[in-house]
Amino acid sequence: MLIGMFVSEWATAEFYLGEILGRLLLAPEYLSRTYTDSLGAAQIQDAIRQAARIHKDRYSGKLISNDLLDEILVLNSKIEKLRSTRNRFAHFCWMRSSDEEIFGTNFSGAAPSDKRHKRSFTSLKVVDIRQQYQELFDAIERLQEIAGSIPEVSEDAAIAAFKAQLDGP
C-alpha cells in the first residue's frame, strides 16, 4: 500500500513541478503543458533549476521574488532526492521480507561481479518509506501553494501581446 501511495503522490508532484516550470517560463498553462508533458521528472527539474537561476540573474526578483525562487530551488532538490525511491518502486519487483521491511529486485541479467548486479536489489524499511512518503506529501503541499502564488499567464493576454507585436505601433 505504501508503494502505491508514494507513486501516486509522485504523479501529483510531477504535475505541480510542470505547473511551476510553466509559470517560471511565463507561458500560458495549456501551452506550457504541451512542453512539459513530453518531459520526464529529471528534465522538468533541470528546467526549473535553469529558469529559477535566469529569473535571479536576469530579472533580479522583478517578476518573482528571489526568496520564492530560493525556496523553489530548495524544494526542487528535496524532491530530486526522492526520485530514486520513486524509480526503484516503479522499476523493481517488490515483496515483503517482514512486517518491517520490503525487498525489491529488477531481475538484472548482469554477472555477479558487474556494478549493475549490485544495484539490482535492495531492501527498504517500512518506517523509512513512511518518512519519505511524508516528505513527498509535505513537498507537494508547498508546491501547490507556490504554484498558486506565481501569477498565471492568461492565454488572452499572451495572444493580445503577440498580436500587438505583429501589428506594430
Side-chain angles (χ1 to χ4, degrees):
M1 186 159 114
L2 277 174
I3 293 173
M5 290 169 55
F6 190 95
V7 172
S8 176
E9 288 298 328
W10 184 263
T12 304
E14 280 191 30
F15 171 79
Y16 281 108
L17 288 169
E19 285 286 303
I20 288 171
L21 176 59
R23 305 256 173 118
L24 290 173
L25 297 176
L26 308 176
E29 182 178 356
Y30 187 75
L31 183 59
S32 72
R33 283 192 193 182
T34 63
Y35 177 68
T36 60
D37 283 355
S38 64
L39 300 176
Q43 294 166 311
I44 291 173
Q45 290 185 282
D46 184 53
I48 286 172
R49 223 177 350 271
Q50 295 299 321
R53 287 183 185 140
I54 288 170
H55 271 276
K56 289 175 71 109
D57 295 343
R58 186 172 180 111
Y59 306 120
S60 305
K62 292 176 192 162
L63 299 171
I64 300 169
S65 77
N66 284 330
D67 288 342
L68 186 58
L69 293 168
D70 288 338
E71 185 178 2
I72 289 168
L73 290 170
V74 167
L75 200 53
N76 196 36
S77 290
K78 284 181 184 178
I79 293 170
E80 195 167 39
K81 290 175 185 161
L82 295 169
R83 193 171 61 238
S84 67
T85 300
R86 177 268 174 207
N87 288 343
R88 283 187 287 177
F89 285 153
H91 300 291
F92 278 41
C93 180
W94 292 93
M95 58 216 88
R96 197 168 63 138
S97 304
S98 69
D99 288 343
E100 293 82 33
E101 183 179 77
I102 61 173
F103 173 81
T105 180
N106 68 1
F107 297 110
S108 173
S113 60
D114 190 275
K115 283 189 294 190
R116 291 178 301 153
H117 175 72
K118 292 180 180 84
R119 291 189 312 250
S120 71
F121 55 89
T122 190
S123 63
L124 296 170
K125 297 201 177 305
V126 171
V127 68
D128 294 337
I129 299 168
R130 284 187 206 283
Q131 177 190 353
Q132 290 181 340
Y133 168 79
Q134 191 61 52
E135 287 175 31
L136 182 59
F137 185 86
D138 293 344
I140 291 167
E141 291 287 307
R142 188 60 189 133
L143 284 175
Q144 288 175 307
E145 293 168 1
I146 289 170
S149 71
I150 300 173
E152 184 177 346
V153 174
S154 139
E155 280 190 48
D156 292 338
I159 291 168
F162 188 80
K163 287 185 75 138
Q165 287 286 325
L166 288 176
D167 295 342

